[in-house]
Each structure stands twice: as structure tokens, then as C-alpha cells.
Amino acid sequence: MSGLFDTFTLKSITLRNRIGVSPMCQYSAVDGVPNDWHLVHLGSRAIGGAALVIAEATGVSPEGRISPGCTGLWNDAQAESWSRIAAFIAQHGAVPGIQIAHAGRKASALRPWDGDRSLTAEEGAWPTFGPSAIAFGGGLTQVPTAMTLDEIARVRQAFANAAKRALAAGFKWLELHYAHGYLAHSFLSPISNQRDDAYGGSFDNRARFAIETARAVRDVWPQELPLTVRLSCSDWIEGGWTIDESVALAQRLKSDGVDLIDCSSGGSSSDRTAMPVGPSWQVPFA
């Protein structure tokens, strides 16, 4: 059995130990640009000895942010600001990673400490998008626009563009956020996806957006660098996304160049009563 402080190699990247810092939203950016807060937050983890430091869910487009305070990678100014953070992490012996994301129907929300609800027009709300026109629920009452095929293609390209900027900024580990009820997960789950076209209905159709986006990113992300996916392995809701579907999707993503699945769960509904939260409760998914 491997020890916590043994090295781990994936593709051309070797981690100095088995300790990785998961992406943690900080809600502290301005216009998607990370700042000194992010430098200190992430850089201190590298100094502390972690082997892998993954920056927070970073929007591939302005409307893909969870909140106005979320980071982005849709323009070069954001990439330039990220570059000093990635360089600092690497300088102190850790591998700099970043998670790129689109919040889908859970976008346009207040920062958590300002209230768990959708923004109002007066607070600067922006249009949200999803596979179907179904609001998330709870405080997130904004009804998303069901995406057209052109909009799906545009977001897929936005992921690829963000991946290219991540590479230019110096990141060596890329994670696609397919979990927690955000856009890719909302395509996967029957709870949020009620389409009747090529992106809805069957497993193959619901998985199409996730697979096509991974392919588009793999085409621009170097083969020698890790490409990973964070997946909600179960919705914890009857009639939702399941662990068996997660296994099937993981097998397909592997064939399309994804190197690792970062296992999480839930997030497709505001109803969390069935989630057995406790120590190591998600370990069996891994």
C-alpha cells in the first residue's frame, strides 16, 4: 500500500506526496481576475507542503460564474494574473492546477455570506443557461434558458479556450468541473435534463455534452499533462444520476483522454436529506 508521503506520477507530472488541495471557491475576484487573496490562499498551501494545489472553479465565460466574485479564464487579463500565482506554487515545489467550470442554472447568485439565493436585477443578475428551463430550487429561483445547439457549441469552445489560457498561464494539471449541479452535471442528470433532442433522454445523449467538451479540451491540452474530471458520482435522489452511470461515463472519458476522476457527489437538487454526510462518506465512490 502506498504511503501518504510517497510520490505519485501521472503522465509527465510527479507529485512529491499524495496530498492535494481541492478547488475551494473564494468569491473574492473582481471581474474574474484573481488577486493577492488568491496568491496567499493558494501559495501558502504550496509552502505548507501539499503536492498538488488546484485553484477554484473558474468560469469559462462571464455567465458561467457562480457569483460576481468568482474567478475567470475568458480573457487574457485573467490569465496574466493567474500566471504569477501558478509560478509561485511551482516555485515552492507543488504542481499548479486549476478547475475550469460553467455554473449553468446555479450561476448569477450572491456570494454565500451575502445570502444563498439568486441575484436580483438590481444586484446585477445575468441570464442563466441549462439543458432545460428548470430552476435549481431553494434560494436559486432563477429559471435558466434551455440552451440551443449553437449555445452548447459556444460553451464547449469556451472550455477549450479557457484550457489554452490555463496552459499559457503555467498550470500543469487541469480539471473539468462536471459535478455539484453545475452545467455539465445538469446535462448528465435526468433531474435537470428533460430535453428530447440529441442532448437529452438516454444515457448516451445526456453524456454527450460532457464527452464532447472533454474531447475539445483534450485537443488543446498537451497529451503529456494530466486532464481530470470532477464528477458527482450520485445525485442521492431517486430517478437521478447513479454510480453505475458514473462508471460508464468514466470508461468513455478515459477513451477520450481523461486521466483521472475526482469523485464527489450530490448538488443536482436543493434537497440533501438522503446524503449520508460523515467521515469518509464519499470514499466508496473512489
Side-chain angles (χ1 to χ4, degrees), residues 60 73 154 156-166 220:
V60 299
L73 258 178
R154 177 175 58 81
R156 184 170 63 239
Q157 185 60 49
F159 269 90
N161 293 342
K164 288 189 284 187
R165 288 193 174 95
V220 301

Side-chain angles (χ1 to χ4, degrees), residues 79-148:
E80 183 177 354
S81 189
W82 276 122
S83 66
R84 70 175 183 133
I85 298 171
F88 187 91
I89 292 169
Q91 179 184 351
H92 293 279
V95 173
I98 193 166
Q99 182 188 71
I100 56 176
H102 191 296
R105 66 179 185 161
K106 297 177 78 172
S108 188
L110 286 168
R111 296 180 300 179
W113 53 82
D114 292 327
D116 189 15
R117 62 169 175 81
S118 297
L119 291 165
T120 65
E122 292 73 24
E123 292 167 330
W126 59 84
T128 58
F129 301 89
S132 303
I134 304 170
F136 176 74
L140 299 180
T141 57
Q142 186 172 349
V143 178
T145 299
M147 296 173 73
T148 66

Side-chain angles (χ1 to χ4, degrees), residues 163-281:
K164 288 189 284 187
R165 288 193 174 95
L167 181 65
F171 290 103
K172 302 298 184 183
W173 185 291
L174 187 66
E175 180 166 275
L176 307 181
H177 199 350
Y178 284 4
H180 302 165
Y182 298 124
L183 184 63
H185 182 194
S186 68
F187 270 94
L188 295 172
S189 176
I191 292 170
S192 45
N193 184 348
Q194 298 182 8
R195 299 174 74 96
D196 58 5
D197 64 359
Y199 289 88
S202 68
F203 168 82
D204 288 343
N205 286 355
R206 286 182 283 114
R208 193 179 306 277
F209 174 81
I211 291 170
E212 289 180 345
T213 300
R215 287 174 181 167
V217 169
R218 184 81 270 185
D219 284 345
V220 301
W221 186 252
Q223 289 295 322
E224 68 271 15
L225 294 180
L227 175 61
T228 74
V229 166
R230 171 164 272 190
L231 196 63
S232 275
C233 296
S234 172
D235 281 340
W236 297 107
I237 295 174
E238 185 71 26
W241 181 256
T242 68
I243 181 60
D244 289 339
E245 289 177 308
S246 294
V247 171
L249 177 61
Q251 291 169 336
R252 298 194 187 190
L253 290 172
K254 181 178 181 178
S255 68
D256 286 312
V258 171
D259 302 302
L260 180 147
I261 299 297
D262 179 3
C263 297
S264 188
S265 67
S268 64
S269 170
S270 57
D271 181 3
R272 303 177 182 177
T273 55
M275 297 174 70
V277 179
S280 302
W281 65 290

Side-chain angles (χ1 to χ4, degrees), residues 60-89:
V60 299
S61 61
E63 71 275 8
R65 294 170 296 165
I66 303 167
S67 79
C70 291
T71 56
L73 258 178
W74 66 82
N75 64 43
D76 293 340
Q78 295 159 349
E80 183 177 354
S81 189
W82 276 122
S83 66
R84 70 175 183 133
I85 298 171
F88 187 91
I89 292 169

